[in-house]
Amino acid sequence: MDGLIYLLFLMLCAGSGYAQTGNSQDPIKITGKVTDSKGLSLPSATVLEKGTKNAVSTDFDGTFNITVSSPQAILVFKYIGMKEIEKPLNNSRKITVALAEETSDLQTVVVVGYGTQKKASVVGAISTIKPSLLQVGTARTLSNNLAGQITGVMAVQRSGEPGYDQSDIRIRGISTFAGATNPLVLVDGIERNLNDLDPSEIESFSVLKDAAASAVYGVRGANGVILINTKRGFVGAPRIQLRTEYSVQEPTKLPTFIGAAPYMSLLNELSGTELYSQDRIAKTANNYDPDLYPDVNWIDDITKDYAFTSRTNFNVAGGSEILRYALTVSHYNEKGILARDPKQSYDSETKLNRTNVRSNVDVNLSKTTLLRVNIGGFLQNLNKGNSSTDELFGFAFETTPFAHPAVYSDGTLPKIPQRPNPWAVSTQQGYYKQGGSKIESLVSLEQDFKAVTPGLKAKFTYSFDSFSQNRVTRGKSPFYYDVATERDLDGSLIKNRLDTSGQEYLGYTTSQEFGNKRIYLEANTTYNRTFNGKHDVAGLLLYNQDQYQDDRGPQAFRHQGLAGRASYTFDRKYIAEFNFGYNGSENFEKKDRYGFFPSVAVGWIASEEKFMEPYRDIFNKIKFRGAYGLVGNDQIGGNRRFAYLTTISDNNNSDYTFGTGTGVKFEGIEEGEIGVPGLTWENVAKTDLGLELGILNMIDLTVDVFKEKRQDIFISRNTVPSQAGFINAPWANFGKMENKGLEVSLNISKQITPDFFMSWRGNFTYVENKVTERDEAAALKGTYRSATGIQNNTLWGLTATGLYTNEDFATISDNPQNNVLASGIPIPQFGVVRPGDIKYKDRNADGIISGLDEGYIGGTTDPQIVYGFGNTTKYKQFDFSFFFQGVAKSERIIGGANFIPGSGQGTLGNIYSNYNDRWTEENPSQDVFWPRLSYGTNANNSVASTWWKKDMSFGRLKTLELGYSLKKSVAEKIWLQGVRVYCSANNLFYISDFKLWDPELGTSNGLKYPTTKSILFGLDVSL
């Protein structure tokens, strides 16, 4: 630690020294501001005194202060994507400079696979986003901030539990039904976990979507690639930024259940008898004696109304032309909504603390040699109750409100034998602490060979990452008592202890995980040069290898290969590019270990044509591009490694017994998985057509249409006859899928007046897929039970045609067993039906409704549409922004055990508050949520069907923020460069046709740790 502090001290000193180098005996202070052609401030622009190393960077308002050696000095202004300007001072002490964009704004640098490219030469489908747009909300998990922000990125958050709340990320949907679907995430070029980063560490964020962009990653590029570069230093005096936020949050929505009194009244109605006396119902409703007549809202009892989070980010960056540095430190603290017992001496409250640190240093060892050293990582600690959160919410649903109190007034715990007490499970079983730590390192050495030929560079990179995790559990089993039904003469509850297995003290156990580690090596050569001002040539040749090991076995996962790129741009109008990856995985046998993955792409920048000159005031950019290529996916799923090798099993099925009776038993072995030669990765052919428009220098529109065809999907065969003698079905590359879609991105920005700026942004992504080959029996294909020819993950069940009416019965009897359906109506086999029960379609036309009528019923939980739109408005010192995000064409079948009111017979299950939205004899409506309710399980109504298929589309106000920045002159009076205070609301509300719980959650009954909405207060200070 002392060494690290000393190194940082040297870096700060070096940065300060080099930034202010000068030989003047009479220094002159110059102030000014740098903007773009639209008048927008340019933060981090470089201001250099010509002929010296004296340089500074502009702050986030675009302003700067520099001390020069002469009133006749010349200042040089630089900014990526802008034309460099030299400005003589001519005795002026204050200067304002507007930098012009390079022609058509096409010289901007974009991060691409294994490097960067000028935006003009980019013909792949690549989306970028400003990192500041990802630094929103209260979530620790970066993936939760991506939803709706970037075209092609499908992100849904299925749980809000701290530490387990990451979103499911897909790029352009799903095109495999067996292999992994997650994108490849590279941080500073190394495969890493997206959610290990704090947003404050990010300098650039790019998403590679088509083959032209991702072919260089070969067998790992099929699911798209996310490229993240972390912050680096710059030439200038140290710039320090401190950002701190504090928020209060509450659940977006939890299921609401009815109380004990209406619950018992409903059961009396459904059963037709007085199961619960009116005296008991009245005493329960009047809170007469909560110990004997409880009315417990278990969801309220195990959760809190509010929880709190805080986040603090500290950044310092700067340096000289020789050494540049960037240090980022972030601390995050979150408390969950699960309640704790304040009477307990231990703390079972859900709390997550995480600290991220990252230090990036660039050193010019010579004028042509650059050394980069990156060190980052995090420490995370999670404290929570010693119980499964998902199980806990399940217990809260299963336990009726009148079963027993959460805790008796005398402090003892009631419990029904063989059933849990949800509050006790949550608060009385102790706690555990889980700690995790990760170190990420990278060293690279880059050599510029411009002495040999301009534009030629070589680079070597080495990286080592290591993660470990451990847990300390302090658990116990509390003492429980049976449910009291009366009091003795002294007024004490009459109850008995259920068992003697409880503990008065906390136990102590520890566990450790292997964690994981990764080693990465890369060597590459690049060439970028422009000839005669018209011919732009770029090339890349790269070798890399990596090794990753976790607790899945002694053999590490390894990749090795080559990658290359060659691009040519003529006269800034015509672009051609060729990419390839030649790499492989150790998971396959030697002759099938490597594959070649090429891509070609072309582009035409029509706005640069001479015939467009009269229209350039209207169309500042018109670009057409197209790409086709091959990529692969070696994450083939199936939990089967080295599938070309036959395995031997020694499980119980291989034991042999000799003799009579019990005989003598000997252990034996048998064939396990059968090895199959020639197995390989999934192969994907990707096609993309894109259009980019820039209109009036204020509107940017991008449209992409794409199609993917995936084959060689890795599966365990389903149609191998038993006569073949395989103990386990063999594996094969037998499966094909298609995926296609549309992406639209629109950005509008305008500096309306010098004090008033407004921008709008929106994006829309639509995808649809189809399984074109699956291992199914020939007789099954083409039927409603076939998975071939339909969307992946299509929902399964019966097709409901409504509810039975009186007209559907020839005879309706008081004894349901005597009910007779009218002629021609299929006879259900799931139980006796009455008017108001769900009626199903006879899909196989055999005259009965049975399991054979179950089949695919359309819809999927995977959203097919993701969209987002937002606004940013700035007026003088005030700024206002909002962002609205949503998904559509996402459906889910709801239900489960004891889901339908009354099905648990008062023993299991709560009743949702919308229980009156039901069919009754007085209200025989078909437009109701619940079919006829009954006392006890109704097998017919409980079957998964289109009746229970609900639309889970939603639109959510993701962020709403109002901020105020102090004037520069005011901030400087308190020795600061800038100060901004802001208030933000996150997940404030959502709109959906589904009302029972938050439709984004991954649950069929709502019993899941919810996502949260919050109010956040923040302060951003620059020094």
Side-chain angles (χ1 to χ4, degrees):
M1 180 61 72
D2 292 339
L4 177 60
I5 294 173
Y6 179 67
L7 174 61
L8 293 176
F9 175 78
L10 290 178
M11 291 159 50
L12 289 171
C13 292
S16 300
Y18 280 108
Q20 300 298 330
T21 298
N23 298 318
S24 174
Q25 296 179 352
D26 186 21
I28 300 169
K29 185 177 181 180
I30 306 298
T31 62
K33 185 172 183 177
V34 181
T35 69
D36 64 10
S37 59
K38 300 176 184 177
L40 299 179
S41 302
L42 291 178
S44 299
T46 299
V47 183
L48 171 70
E49 182 182 358
K50 188 175 181 179
T52 74
K53 297 179 180 179
N54 180 27
V56 297
S57 294
T58 57
D59 61 19
F60 60 75
D61 288 327
T63 58
F64 67 91
N65 294 284
I66 187 171
T67 301
V68 298
S69 57
S70 166
Q72 302 302 319
I74 298 175
L75 295 183
V76 181
F77 297 87
K78 303 177 181 179
Y79 192 81
I80 293 176
M82 304 288 186
K83 292 181 178 179
E84 183 179 306
I85 287 182
E86 293 186 4
K87 194 87 169 178
L89 289 179
N90 295 329
N91 295 312
S92 176
R93 301 297 178 94
K94 189 172 184 179
I95 188 169
T96 299
V97 172
L99 298 183
E101 293 86 353
E102 293 281 0
T103 304
S104 301
D105 193 32
L106 295 177
Q107 296 301 313
T108 304
V109 173
V110 176
V111 177
V112 298
Y114 297 123
T116 59
Q117 282 182 301
K118 292 179 181 178
K119 191 173 182 180
S121 63
V122 173
V123 283
I126 300 177
S127 294
T128 62
I129 186 173
K130 294 179 180 179
S132 60
L133 298 177
L134 300 177
Q135 198 166 357
V136 296
T138 57
R140 169 198 61 86
T141 311
L142 178 60
S143 59
N144 295 341
N145 296 340
L146 298 180
Q149 296 272 18
I150 312 172
T151 54
V153 177
M154 327 285 283
V156 285
Q157 184 182 354
R158 298 307 191 187
S159 171
E161 183 179 3
Y164 306 95
D165 58 346
Q166 63 270 12
S167 291
D168 295 333
I169 301 292
R170 308 285 185 267
I171 294 179
R172 290 184 165 178
I174 297 175
S175 59
T176 178
F177 57 79
T181 57
N182 297 323
L184 173 66
V185 178
L186 301 176
V187 179
D188 292 330
I190 312 301
E191 185 175 356
R192 288 168 176 160
N193 189 333
L194 173 72
N195 298 309
D196 288 346
L197 283 172
D198 187 271
S200 65
E201 301 176 54
I202 298 175
E203 176 122 307
S204 67
F205 192 103
S206 301
V207 181
L208 315 185
K209 296 177 286 190
D210 68 347
S214 61
V216 288
Y217 298 103
V219 293
R220 300 188 296 163
N223 298 323
V225 183
I226 294 176
L227 298 180
I228 300 172
N229 284 344
T230 57
K231 290 180 177 178
R232 311 209 70 82
F234 53 85
V235 177
R239 187 173 72 229
I240 301 173
Q241 187 171 20
L242 178 68
R243 177 186 177 116
T244 183
E245 301 172 339
Y246 186 83
S247 69
V248 56
Q249 56 186 16
E250 62 176 336
T252 53
K253 184 176 180 61
L254 285 167
T256 54
F257 303 123
I258 64 175
Y263 192 127
M264 291 185 284
S265 296
L266 177 63
L267 291 184
N268 283 349
E269 174 191 336
L270 298 179
S271 67
T273 60
E274 192 175 68
L275 298 171
Y276 305 94
S277 68
Q278 293 304 311
D279 177 66
R280 178 178 179 180
I281 294 174
K283 287 180 176 178
T284 302
N286 295 325
N287 198 29
Y288 174 77
D289 185 341
D291 283 336
L292 298 179
Y293 305 98
D295 185 1
V296 183
N297 185 322
W298 292 106
I299 293 293
D300 281 353
D301 264 33
I302 66 171
T303 61
K304 301 182 297 185
D305 293 332
Y306 301 98
F308 302 93
T309 66
S310 64
R311 186 198 306 269
T312 301
N313 304 131
F314 173 79
N315 294 278
V316 58
S320 67
E321 292 184 356
I322 294 178
L323 185 149
R324 294 156 307 280
Y325 57 89
L327 172 67
T328 303
V329 180
S330 305
H331 180 73
Y332 177 80
N333 174 267
E334 178 181 7
K335 294 185 177 180
I337 62 166
L338 292 180
R340 62 162 297 198
D341 181 3
K343 296 179 181 178
Q344 290 288 2
S345 58
Y346 58 83
D347 185 3
S348 63
E349 183 178 25
T350 300
K351 295 185 291 186
L352 186 144
N353 289 279
R354 183 185 179 102
T355 300
N356 283 58
V357 179
R358 189 168 300 277
S359 175
N360 293 345
V361 179
D362 299 345
V363 182
N364 288 96
L365 301 180
S366 71
K367 291 184 179 180
T368 59
T369 307
L370 174 64
L371 173 68
R372 287 185 168 181
V373 180
N374 300 357
I375 298 177
F378 65 83
L379 293 173
Q380 178 173 296
N381 289 290
L382 174 65
N383 185 100
K384 69 183 298 289
N386 188 28
S387 60
S388 163
T389 302
D390 285 347
E391 284 187 354
L392 178 61
F393 276 95
F395 295 155
F397 172 69
E398 292 174 355
T399 309
T400 62
F402 50 85
H404 51 71
V407 57
Y408 283 130
S409 55
D410 61 8
T412 55
L413 297 173
K415 179 177 176 289
I416 297 173
Q418 311 306 318
R419 296 297 311 155
N421 176 329
W423 184 81
V425 170
S426 178
T427 65
Q428 307 299 307
Q429 293 187 170
Y431 67 98
Y432 72 78
K433 291 182 179 291
Q434 181 173 286
S437 63
K438 187 175 185 182
I439 182 71
E440 299 175 345
S441 66
L442 181 147
V443 177
S444 71
L445 188 66
E446 182 178 304
Q447 180 64 47
D448 190 334
F449 290 101
K450 60 184 179 181
V452 178
T453 181
L456 181 64
K457 294 181 180 181
K459 182 180 178 182
F460 174 79
T461 301
Y462 171 82
S463 173
F464 175 78
D465 295 353
S466 180
F467 169 77
S468 63
Q469 185 168 281
N470 59 75
R471 177 183 292 194
V472 175
T473 303
R474 303 299 309 276
K476 74 169 187 176
S477 299
F479 291 103
Y480 289 103
Y481 291 79
D482 61 8
V483 178
T485 58
E486 57 183 336
R487 296 180 182 272
D488 61 21
L489 296 177
D490 295 329
S492 300
L493 292 171
I494 299 175
K495 60 186 187 315
N496 298 299
R497 182 179 287 186
L498 287 176
D499 54 52
T500 58
S501 61
Q503 300 169 224
E504 296 290 350
Y505 59 89
L506 294 173
Y508 181 84
T509 59
T510 61
S511 63
Q512 292 182 334
E513 294 184 8
F514 174 81
N516 58 67
K517 60 182 179 181
R518 183 185 300 278
I519 298 174
Y520 179 81
L521 291 173
E522 177 187 308
N524 71 59
T525 301
T526 59
Y527 182 73
N528 292 275
R529 192 170 178 181
T530 301
F531 296 91
N532 301 324
K534 286 191 174 183
H535 306 277
D536 285 321
V537 179
L540 163 75
L541 183 62
L542 175 145
Y543 167 83
N544 65 2
Q545 65 181 51
D546 77 324
Q547 174 177 298
Y548 174 82
Q549 189 163 13
D550 56 21
D551 57 0
R552 286 180 286 176
Q555 180 66 45
F557 296 79
R558 294 186 176 96
H559 298 93
Q560 182 184 47
L562 300 173
R565 177 187 299 116
S567 66
Y568 171 69
T569 303
F570 174 70
D571 201 19
R572 295 190 176 187
K573 290 183 282 190
Y574 312 109
I575 310 160
E577 182 174 293
F578 171 75
N579 291 273
F580 78 88
Y582 178 76
N583 53 21
S585 166
E586 43 67 47
N587 200 30
F588 310 106
E589 59 183 317
K590 289 185 177 180
K591 67 182 182 66
D592 300 308
R593 192 159 289 172
Y594 291 89
F596 183 66
F597 303 92
S599 73
V600 292
V602 294
W604 175 39
I605 305 176
S607 53
E608 294 297 302
E609 298 284 0
K610 286 187 178 181
F611 63 78
M612 287 298 301
E613 288 183 0
Y615 310 103
R616 284 183 181 170
D617 290 341
I618 300 175
F619 297 101
N620 53 286
K621 179 174 67 173
I622 303 176
K623 182 178 180 180
F624 299 92
R625 50 181 169 77
Y628 174 83
L630 303 177
V631 282
N633 177 27
D634 70 329
Q635 302 297 306
I636 53 180
N639 197 29
R640 173 81 164 103
R641 293 194 70 191
F642 312 116
Y644 60 92
L645 297 176
T646 298
T647 65
I648 300 298
S649 173
D650 61 353
N651 59 36
N652 290 331
N653 294 329
S654 60
D655 293 342
Y656 295 86
T657 301
F658 294 90
T660 60
T662 57
V664 180
K665 188 176 182 180
F666 293 90
E667 292 187 1
I669 60 174
E670 66 182 15
E671 182 183 82
E673 301 277 2
I674 185 70
V676 179
L679 293 175
T680 186
W681 47 79
E682 298 177 348
N683 284 282
V684 189
K686 294 191 175 189
T687 304
D688 185 276
L689 297 175
L691 168 66
E692 298 176 17
L693 288 179
I695 304 172
L696 301 174
N697 281 307
M698 60 179 283
I699 301 173
D700 287 305
L701 173 68
T702 302
V703 180
D704 277 89
V705 292
F706 60 89
K707 186 171 184 179
E708 303 177 6
K709 290 186 176 182
R710 188 172 302 218
Q711 63 183 14
D712 296 330
I713 296 176
F714 186 72
I715 63 168
S716 176
R717 294 297 303 266
N718 294 321
T719 58
V720 177
S722 59
Q723 293 90 335
F726 294 117
I727 296 175
N728 298 296
W731 295 85
N733 294 116
F734 192 99
K736 296 179 181 179
M737 265 186 76
E738 291 182 358
N739 186 49
K740 59 184 178 181
L742 168 72
E743 298 173 353
V744 180
S745 173
L746 177 66
N747 292 276
I748 305 173
S749 61
K750 180 68 174 178
Q751 189 75 40
I752 300 172
T753 70
D755 293 328
F756 185 36
F757 169 79
M758 180 177 287
S759 70
W760 290 86
R761 59 191 175 99
N763 67 78
F764 173 88
T765 302
Y766 171 76
V767 298
E768 65 177 27
N769 62 56
K770 180 172 67 173
V771 178
T772 56
E773 178 183 83
R774 200 157 191 164
D775 191 15
E776 296 182 318
L780 196 63
K781 293 181 179 180
T783 71
Y784 58 88
R785 297 171 69 88
S786 172
T788 305
I790 64 172
Q791 186 174 358
N792 185 47
N793 292 331
T794 298
L795 302 177
W796 175 276
L798 293 170
T799 300
T801 59
L803 302 178
Y804 285 107
T805 65
N806 291 337
E807 288 71 26
D808 291 321
F809 291 85
T811 303
I812 300 177
S813 170
D814 291 336
N815 183 355
Q817 301 292 338
N818 296 328
N819 288 350
V820 178
L821 286 167
S823 177
I825 295 180
I827 300 172
Q829 302 295 300
F830 296 107
V832 178
V833 294
R834 297 181 182 182
D837 288 339
I838 303 174
K839 185 179 179 181
Y840 302 111
K841 181 179 180 180
D842 182 13
R843 299 182 76 176
N844 66 347
D846 64 354
I848 61 174
I849 302 297
S850 67
L852 295 177
D853 294 300
E854 292 179 318
Y856 292 101
I857 54 177
T860 173
T861 57
D862 304 317
Q864 293 183 255
I865 293 175
V866 174
Y867 61 89
F869 61 89
N871 167 270
T872 298
T873 302
K874 295 181 180 180
Y875 180 71
K876 294 186 176 180
Q877 268 57 59
F878 290 94
D879 61 86
F880 169 80
S881 64
F882 74 85
F883 187 74
F884 196 87
Q885 171 263 326
V887 305
K889 293 183 74 66
S890 174
E891 296 172 300
R892 183 183 296 276
I893 293 178
I894 63 173
N898 311 303
F899 177 76
I900 300 176
S903 59
Q905 297 180 304
T907 302
L908 293 172
N910 272 275
I911 295 177
Y912 298 87
S913 57
N914 70 335
Y915 74 105
N916 277 324
D917 185 9
R918 58 189 171 110
W919 184 97
T920 63
E921 292 181 359
E922 296 76 21
N923 177 39
S925 172
Q926 297 281 328
D927 186 21
V928 290
F929 187 91
W930 303 102
R932 180 185 67 87
L933 302 183
S934 59
Y935 181 70
T937 300
N938 185 320
N940 181 82
N941 293 346
S942 300
V943 181
S945 71
T946 54
W947 181 272
W948 301 115
K949 186 177 74 170
K950 302 299 180 181
D951 185 358
M952 294 294 175
S953 303
F954 66 87
R956 189 187 304 277
L957 182 61
K958 200 72 175 179
T959 60
L960 180 70
E961 184 168 298
L962 177 65
Y964 176 79
S965 300
L966 290 183
K967 288 185 176 181
K968 178 75 172 176
S969 57
V970 175
E972 288 180 340
K973 290 180 180 179
I974 54 177
W975 304 285
L976 300 174
Q977 294 295 315
V979 178
R980 178 175 179 263
V981 294
Y982 54 96
C983 176
S984 176
N986 306 112
N987 294 340
L988 195 59
F989 67 85
Y990 69 86
I991 302 170
S992 176
D993 290 337
F994 186 76
K995 307 299 183 183
L996 289 189
W997 57 81
D998 190 327
E1000 190 171 7
L1001 292 179
T1003 174
S1004 61
N1005 61 8
L1007 277 302
K1008 188 90 173 177
Y1009 195 109
T1011 54
T1012 57
K1013 54 185 176 182
S1014 62
I1015 300 294
L1016 179 150
F1017 301 91
L1019 173 67
D1020 198 340
V1021 178
S1022 291
L1023 304 177

